[in-house]
């Protein structure tokens, strides 16, 4: 469905029983992500939980209405919560979506039941590690001009974003399958304005480490052992700073344990939800747009 959220038309899917605890899952890849990823990851929970997934503003097939800031994307999550008519939510996100999940948890703590993170970071320090990992690998040949333009937000248009992404997607999986990576590129959505905004405006000020110890609700932190872009050390930092956190490392995964070790990942997130947000009917509250 299309919903007008904070003045922007968003592509939204609302799954599962309406009287169950709500999970709102934010996709990764500002500018290259879409709801397909969190739907595949969290959609299976819709047998017990209400799950909302969506294309963030400027991403997927949602409308392009700036700003594409962390604060705006977090505010859109809260507007979706209000639209759903619930008081508290489990917020989830992987990769760049993990940034937004953490930003939401810190900005709207009174509305959070739990947080589920996957392969993410609490600050921008992972990018230095990512560059080192890219230089030290021999899996793919890197066009360093395109690589640098991608990570500094200097992409020219949507086609350029797709090309740059296609050149580095081979770094992401533990077991590289060129055909599978090529198919993923073709199935993607490319929105260079949102991508550029992430690295021109958001990245330099992104650092939540000092605020993480204030989080009082349970947080699940998951990561692939061989993740090159948000390495295990980034997740270890989050888990060390958040008082009620659980860290799970997936030994046979790169950046996407939700697909590379799917059965185990599904078991981990369902177990976490059962322990901290038991599936149950919840009272509704007045909704707002």
């Amino acid at each position: 469905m299309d919903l007008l959220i904070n003045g922007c038309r968003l592509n939204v899917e609302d799954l599962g029983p309406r009287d169950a605890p709500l999970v709102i899952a934010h996709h990764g890849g500002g500018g290259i992500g879409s709801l397909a990823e969190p739907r595949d990851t969290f959609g299976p929970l819709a047998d017990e939980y209400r799950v909302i997934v969506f294309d963030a503003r400027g991403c997927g097939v949602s409308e392009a209405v700036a700003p594409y800031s962390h604060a705006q994307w977090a505010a859109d999550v809260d507007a979706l919560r209000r639209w759903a008519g619930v008081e508290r939510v489990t917020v989830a996100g992987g990769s760049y979506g993990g940034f937004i999940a953490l930003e939401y948890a810190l900005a709207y703590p009174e509305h959070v039941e739990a947080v589920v993170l996957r392969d993410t970071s609490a600050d921008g320090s992972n990018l230095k590690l990512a560059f080192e990992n890219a230089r030290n690998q021999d899996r793919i040949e890197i066009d360093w001009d395109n690589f640098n333009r991608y990570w500094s937000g200097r992409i020219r248009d949507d086609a350029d974003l797709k090309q740059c992404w296609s050149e580095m997607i081979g770094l992401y999986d533990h077991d590289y399958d060129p055909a599978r990576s090529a198919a993923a590129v073709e199935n993607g959505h490319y929105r260079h304005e949102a991508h550029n905004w992430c690295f021109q405006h958001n990245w330099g000020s992104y650092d939540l480490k000092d605020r993480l110890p204030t989080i009082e609700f349970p947080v699940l932190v998951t990561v692939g052992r061989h993740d090159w872009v948000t390495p295990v050390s980034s997740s270890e930092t989050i888990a060390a700073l958040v008082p009620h956190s659980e860290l799970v490392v997936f030994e046979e995964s790169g950046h996407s344990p939700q697909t590379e070790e799917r059965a185990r990942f599904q078991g981990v997130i369902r177990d976490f939800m059962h322990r901290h947000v038991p599936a149950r009917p919840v009272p509704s509250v007045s909704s707002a747009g």
Side-chain angles (χ1 to χ4, degrees):
M1 70 184 86
D2 284 346
L3 294 179
L4 188 64
I5 298 294
N6 291 332
C8 181
R9 181 191 56 76
L10 300 185
N11 179 39
V12 179
E13 293 189 15
D14 188 0
L15 313 171
R18 298 303 184 264
D19 61 348
L22 176 62
V23 178
I24 299 181
H26 202 291
H27 61 76
I32 63 169
S34 75
L35 62 75
E37 170 239 319
R39 179 181 59 204
D40 184 62
T41 303
F42 293 95
L45 293 179
D47 62 342
E48 296 183 277
Y49 296 89
R50 185 179 183 183
V51 178
I52 290 180
V53 296
F54 65 104
D55 292 341
R57 64 173 60 216
C59 301
V61 298
S62 286
E63 192 175 10
V65 178
Y68 311 116
S69 63
H70 290 187
Q72 183 62 67
W73 277 332
D76 292 346
V77 171
D78 200 56
L80 283 167
R81 176 196 62 79
R82 296 196 309 271
W83 171 84
V86 303
E87 187 63 29
R88 300 179 70 200
V89 61
T90 295
V91 63
S95 195
Y96 207 104
F99 301 171
I100 309 307
L102 283 173
E103 295 272 24
Y104 182 84
L106 290 166
Y108 304 90
E110 68 277 16
H111 296 304
V112 178
E113 284 193 291
V115 179
V116 178
L117 304 173
R118 190 267 305 161
D119 294 81
T120 193
S121 178
D123 64 12
S125 63
N126 66 289
L127 199 53
K128 180 179 179 181
L129 296 172
F131 269 69
E132 292 177 3
N133 289 335
R135 284 192 291 268
N136 292 330
Q137 59 83 37
D138 58 6
R139 174 183 288 184
I140 64 171
E141 185 174 347
I142 293 177
D143 181 320
W144 287 103
D145 177 63
N146 286 350
F147 191 90
N148 289 326
R149 286 192 306 106
Y150 182 95
W151 293 109
S152 59
R154 293 181 288 120
I155 297 297
R156 293 185 289 265
D157 53 32
D158 292 351
D160 185 37
L161 179 57
K162 180 180 180 181
Q163 176 60 35
C164 291
W165 175 239
S166 72
E167 294 173 6
M168 74 178 74
I169 193 174
L171 295 173
Y172 281 79
D173 288 342
H174 177 232
D175 298 316
Y176 176 41
D177 182 335
R180 183 176 61 208
S181 293
V185 169
E186 291 306 313
N187 290 331
H189 295 271
Y190 302 94
R191 308 286 294 277
H192 77 284
E193 297 97 338
H195 170 87
N196 285 346
W197 191 290
C198 289
F199 295 100
Q200 290 181 12
H201 301 288
N202 299 341
W203 197 265
S205 61
Y206 178 64
D207 188 345
L208 306 179
K209 296 192 302 298
D210 289 348
R211 300 167 62 196
L212 293 186
T214 68
I215 292 177
E216 298 181 349
F217 29 79
V219 177
L220 175 63
V221 186
T222 67
V223 63
R225 173 66 69 186
H226 307 280
D227 188 343
W228 79 280
V229 66
T230 48
V232 171
S233 59
S234 296
S235 288
E236 289 174 336
T237 296
I238 297 172
L241 292 172
V242 175
H244 307 290
S245 64
E246 304 174 22
L247 174 63
V248 180
V249 179
F250 291 80
E251 299 295 337
E252 302 300 322
S253 294
H255 189 63
S256 301
Q258 78 279 13
T259 57
E260 295 184 274
E261 296 181 67
R262 181 175 177 82
R264 184 184 175 214
F265 193 91
Q266 288 293 317
V268 165
I269 61 173
R270 194 176 290 267
D271 173 69
F272 174 83
M273 293 296 293
H274 283 171
R275 286 185 288 113
H276 297 291
V277 190
R280 67 196 185 283
V282 295
S284 62
V285 298
S286 298
S287 61

